Every structure is written in structure tokens, then in C-alpha cells.
């Protein structure tokens, strides 16, 4: 008798090694029918849907599926990712300077949120974790509001009633984040069930990290979705690390997370999350399937968390410092840039210029936000606002009764 404990590709001071990963060539999988059943999705759940090959070319059936995406649309995706990375950079610096309390970056995962969000419609609702701020960026959420909440100043749209990184905006399809991440999955399924009952044509998108799939909420949500078949997309972001725990611990005996969802009778896809075109293609397919009434679908986004889990984490304690550079599926921004250059729609010079312009724009907003106070030098809101929106206004008859009683 013995116990098994999954080991990561390498530990600190070891050479990063991803040779054990099975990465199929781009374009190897076709586009399934929208009404595909779980039993027929085995190859998609165990394989890896890719569009961009090692040369930056878009190849295969999924490339044809989104052949109508013009250069303007793809350049918007590139700018979304550049803006997200600029925000990550500036907010990390602000935290290190003591201006904010803490922050979680999504470096290396930008294509997933940015590519997915651009396929949604008004009224659709994301139920995100605290590493999906890219959904807000691609939904054109005001940076002043995003940063104001991080700085905990009077630009915070939630007025301090939520943790700094836990944003909320119904208008931008971003449900309030819960620190207990698994609950988002159940709420997304419930929201989708309500959409189906009201027949409003809207869908829900659940988000969870690989580590949180070990929670009971994940399994309860999958079971409920498989029974009632509501219009929900069940996203699983497998970025290889759950805080300081290697993804193999949460995977268990399953080959992939997508395969686990398939075991509940839900069709599942596994996608190269660092390939913006693959993200856009599969997201479009999933949205079309779900909105057409064919039931839920699960998507495992296969990616890599380049940054620390949070500003309170030191990844050098559990993985090699240069492991991100060895990730075989590359950087999502560089891959889309290479593709656009190859198409003749972009150039290295224009990329450098645009990157600098976006960073300057983000920095300008940051400086304006800081004028309203920082974590270390706050300008608190009026005490009268503390309970605003927490307690209901007192009915007039009770107000008069209290006055008559001398209160």
C-alpha cells in the first residue's frame, strides 16, 4: 500500500520540463455540430483545439469557422490584451509601492477573457473568479471604476462594500465575485435556468480555476446543468497552478478537466488558451450552441499562469523562476501579433508604438485615480454613505411613529 502525490514538471532550481504534455498540431480537430452529445465529444475533451501553428498561420476547420473575422476585429483583440497587460503592470507597481492593498494578475491568460467576452451579447452574464478582469477590459468597463475599486477611494463604484479585486457590473455582464470561488458555478447555472424560464435569449458563463474544481460546488453545478440543460457555458481555466499547488492534484484520475465534465453528460472542449483565434472560434461556437437551446457545454482553457497567484505569493518557492519562458504554447500577445504581421495587417514598429500608447493611456488614468486617494493616503467617503444600499429606507409610517415616540 502507498499514497500517490502528483509532481509538477519541475521544482525550484530544476530545469523546466513540459515534454510530457501531449500537444497536437494546429488544425487537427474539426468543428462539431452545435447539438453534439457528450458521448460524441471525447476527442474534443481529450485533445486540444488549436488554430495558430508555430509559424503564426491560421489553419484547419476552426480557422475557416471564423474566417469572417477581419483585421479590425483581430486588432481590437490585440489592443484588449495589451490594455489588460498594461493594467496588470501598473497595478502591480502600485501595490508594491503601498498604494493598494493587494492585486492578482492574469498575465499569460489575457486571450481567454478578451476573446470570450467579444463573442457575448448585451444581457449575457459572466460569473467570474478574481482572475477574469480581462472580461471587463474587453467589455469596455471604465478604467477609472476598475482602478478606483483597487485603490479603495471615492471612485470605487461599490463604495468599499467589496474587496478591491472583486468587481461587479451588471451593465457589463460581470456578476459580483465571491472569494469562495466554487459558488460562482452554481449561481451561473441558476441564472441560466432563470433565463430559460423567462425565454429572454440570454446565456450565462461560469468561470472556475483548476484548483477550485476540487470543491463540491463544481460537481453540484455540473450535475444540475446536466439534468436541466440550461443555457450555460462552463469555463474551466487550467493555468497549471492553484495558489502553490500543481494542477495534477485537482485533476485526480481524469486525463483532462474537460473529460471530467463530459463524465456528467455534458459535451466538453479543450482549447489552447494562449491562441486568441482558437479562443474566439470556440467561444463563438459555444455561444451559438447555448443560445440555440442545445444545452450546456464545458470548455477547458489550457494555459499557464505566468505571474504569482497574488501579490502575497512567491512562486519561486514552488516552481522554477524561468518556467513561464518554457511554456510550449507561448505568449498570447506575441502569437496574435505574429499572425497579424504575417497577414500584412501589422508590423513590429506599429506594435511597439501601440504598446507604448496604451501604457501611456493606462498610466494617465491611474494618475487621475490616485488624485482621489490611495490605500496609504486615503480620502475616505462620508460616514453617511457607509450604510447606503445596505439597509432599506424606513417606510414613512414607521418614521412618523418613531418621531411620535420621541426617537
Amino acid at each position: 500500500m502507498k499514497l500517490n502525490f502528483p509532481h509538477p514538471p519541475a521544482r525550484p532550481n530544476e530545469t523546466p520540463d513540459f515534454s510530457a504534455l501531449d500537444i497536437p498540431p494546429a488544425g487537427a480537430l474539426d468543428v462539431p455540430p452545435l447539438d453534439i452529445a457528450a458521448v460524441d465529444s471525447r476527442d474534443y475533451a481529450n485533445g486540444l483545439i488549436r488554430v495558430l501553428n508555430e509559424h503564426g498561420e491560421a489553419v484547419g476547420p476552426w480557422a475557416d469557422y471564423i474566417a469572417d473575422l477581419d483585421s479590425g476585429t483581430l486588432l481590437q483583440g490585440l489592443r484588449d490584451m495589451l490594455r489588460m497587460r498594461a493594467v496588470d503592470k501598473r497595478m502591480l507597481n502600485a501595490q508594491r509601492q503601498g498604494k493598494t492593498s493587494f492585486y492578482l494578475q492574469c498575465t499569460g491568460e489575457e486571450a481567454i477573457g478578451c476573446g470570450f467576452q467579444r463573442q457575448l451579447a448585451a444581457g449575457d452574464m459572466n460569473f467570474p473568479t478574481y482572475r477574469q478582469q480581462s472580461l471587463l477590459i474587453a467589455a469596455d468597463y471604465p478604467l477609472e471604476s476598475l482602478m478606483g475599486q483597487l485603490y479603495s477611494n471615492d471612485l470605487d463604484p461599490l463604495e468599499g462594500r467589496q474587496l478591491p479585486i472583486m468587481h461587479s457590473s451588471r451593465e457589463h455582464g460581470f456578476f459580483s465575485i465571491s472569494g469562495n470561488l466554487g459558488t460562482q458555478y452554481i449561481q451561473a447555472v441558476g441564472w441560466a435556468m432563470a433565463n430559460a424560464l423567462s425565454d429572454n435569449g440570454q446565456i450565462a458563463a461560469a468561470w472556475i480555476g483548476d484548483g477550485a474544481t476540487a470543491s463540491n460546488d463544481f460537481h453540484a453545478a455540473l450535475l444540475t446543468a446536466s439534468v436541466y440543460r440550461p443555457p450555460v457555458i462552463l469555463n474551466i481555466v487550467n493555468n497549471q497552478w492553484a495558489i502553490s499547488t500543481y494542477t495534477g492534484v485537482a485533476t485526480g484520475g481524469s486525463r483532462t478537466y474537460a473529460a471530467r465534465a463530459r463524465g456528467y453528460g455534458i459535451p466538453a472542449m479543450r482549447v489552447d488558451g494562449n491562441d486568441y483565434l482558437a479562443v474566439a472560434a470556440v467561444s463563438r461556437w459555444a455561444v451559438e450552441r447555448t443560445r440555440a437551446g442545445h444545452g450546456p457545454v464545458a470548455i477547458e482553457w489550457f494555459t499557464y499562469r505566468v505571474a504569482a497567484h497574488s501579490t502575497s505569493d512567491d512562486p519561486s518557492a514552488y516552481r522554477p523562476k524561468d518556467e513561464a519562458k518554457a511554456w510550449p504554447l507561448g505568449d498570447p500577445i506575441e502569437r496574435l501579433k505574429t499572425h497579424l504581421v504575417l497577414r500584412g495587417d501589422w508590423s513590429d514598429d506599429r506594435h511597439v508604438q501601440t504598446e507604448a500608447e496604451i501604457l501611456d493611456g493606462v498610466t494617465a488614468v491611474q494618475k487621475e485615480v490616485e488624485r482621489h486617494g490611495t490605500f496609504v493616503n486615503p480620502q475616505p467617503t462620508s460616514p453617511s454613505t457607509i450604510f447606503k444600499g445596505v439597509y432599506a429606507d424606513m417606510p414613512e409610517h414607521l418614521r412618523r411613529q418613531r418621531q411620535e415616540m420621541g426617537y
Side-chain angles (χ1 to χ4, degrees):
M1 295 184 293
K2 64 179 181 179
L3 291 176
N4 174 66
F5 194 88
H7 292 279
R11 285 296 188 185
N13 301 320
E14 295 179 351
T15 301
D17 181 13
F18 292 107
S19 60
L21 295 181
D22 181 15
I23 300 177
L29 289 169
D30 63 359
V31 181
L34 294 179
D35 61 351
I36 187 174
V39 67
D40 298 320
S41 68
R42 177 178 180 179
D43 290 344
Y44 303 97
N46 289 328
L48 191 67
I49 297 172
R50 302 177 61 206
V51 172
L52 294 174
N53 63 20
E54 62 272 19
H55 305 297
E57 300 165 324
V59 298
W62 286 97
D64 296 336
Y65 184 69
I66 54 168
D68 61 315
L69 292 185
D70 57 21
S71 59
T73 301
L74 294 180
L75 286 170
Q76 179 63 65
L78 183 64
R79 292 188 180 97
D80 286 341
M81 292 193 291
L82 287 172
R83 184 170 290 106
M84 182 67 258
R85 190 160 293 186
V87 170
D88 265 359
K89 180 179 180 179
R90 296 305 305 175
M91 291 300 95
L92 176 63
N93 290 344
Q95 193 279 334
R96 295 308 191 209
Q97 294 168 358
K99 295 178 179 179
T100 65
S101 53
F102 63 103
Y103 186 68
L104 292 101
Q105 295 177 284
C106 64
T107 307
E109 303 175 31
E110 296 92 347
I112 299 169
C114 291
F116 185 90
Q117 177 62 42
R118 290 292 177 182
Q119 307 306 314
L120 297 179
D124 296 338
M125 184 62 66
N126 286 293
F127 289 75
T129 76
Y130 41 55
R131 209 180 302 279
Q132 266 79 57
Q133 58 268 51
S134 54
L135 293 168
L136 287 172
I137 295 296
D140 299 318
Y141 184 64
L143 289 185
E144 293 85 353
S145 298
L146 188 149
M147 292 184 182
Q149 185 170 342
L150 295 171
Y151 278 97
S152 305
N153 61 24
D154 60 4
L155 292 181
D156 176 4
L158 304 185
E159 297 180 321
R161 299 187 186 91
Q162 180 60 290
L163 291 173
I165 57 167
M166 296 186 178
H167 306 285
S168 175
S169 177
R170 179 168 188 158
E171 297 76 13
H172 296 84
F174 198 88
F175 197 84
S176 300
I177 298 175
S178 169
N180 189 4
L181 298 178
T183 62
Q184 300 290 85
Y185 242 55
I186 291 179
Q187 293 172 27
V189 173
W191 185 284
M193 292 171 68
N195 287 342
L197 291 172
S198 62
D199 195 24
N200 60 18
Q202 298 167 357
I203 66 174
W207 294 88
I208 201 168
D210 51 286
T213 63
S215 68
N216 293 336
D217 292 335
F218 173 73
H219 299 276
L222 288 177
L223 177 60
T224 305
S226 70
V227 171
Y228 296 103
R229 296 174 56 80
V232 62
I233 300 173
L234 301 159
N235 295 289
I236 306 160
V237 181
N238 177 10
N239 63 16
Q240 313 307 308
W241 291 98
I243 306 183
S244 58
T245 305
Y246 175 57
T247 186
V249 176
T251 307
S254 298
R255 178 176 177 179
T256 68
Y257 293 98
R260 179 176 294 172
R262 181 174 168 269
Y264 279 90
I266 298 174
M269 307 282 164
R270 187 165 173 261
V271 183
D272 178 357
N274 288 25
D275 179 345
Y276 186 89
L277 269 66
V279 172
V282 177
S283 297
R284 175 191 284 188
W285 180 91
V287 168
E288 289 180 353
R289 168 195 162 84
T290 308
R291 210 183 302 280
H294 297 302
V297 62
I299 306 175
E300 176 186 344
W301 302 106
F302 194 62
T303 185
Y304 183 83
R305 169 167 62 78
V306 173
H309 173 74
S310 73
T311 49
S312 300
D313 173 44
D314 178 12
S316 67
Y318 53 81
R319 69 185 190 190
K321 291 183 178 180
D322 57 348
E323 187 176 79
K325 295 180 181 179
W327 179 244
L329 294 174
D331 177 271
I333 292 178
E334 286 299 315
R335 290 179 67 185
L336 182 55
K337 168 198 164 187
T338 299
H339 174 66
L340 290 168
V341 171
L342 189 66
R343 286 172 45 140
D345 295 324
W346 203 233
S347 69
D348 290 334
D349 290 342
R350 291 177 67 188
H351 187 85
V352 171
Q353 180 182 357
T354 301
E355 189 175 29
E357 290 173 351
I358 289 176
L359 181 58
D360 286 346
V362 169
T363 302
V365 173
Q366 178 188 18
K367 290 181 178 178
E368 179 60 30
V369 170
E370 287 184 356
R371 290 179 55 193
H372 293 260
T374 67
F375 177 71
V376 70
N377 183 26
Q379 296 179 15
T381 57
S382 169
S384 63
T385 67
I386 293 177
F387 299 110
K388 178 183 176 184
V390 177
Y391 298 104
D393 292 334
M394 184 177 293
E396 185 59 31
H397 72 282
L398 290 180
R399 190 185 305 277
R400 288 197 303 269
Q401 184 180 25
R402 285 174 59 87
Q403 291 175 346
E404 292 170 359
M405 295 176 64
Y407 289 105

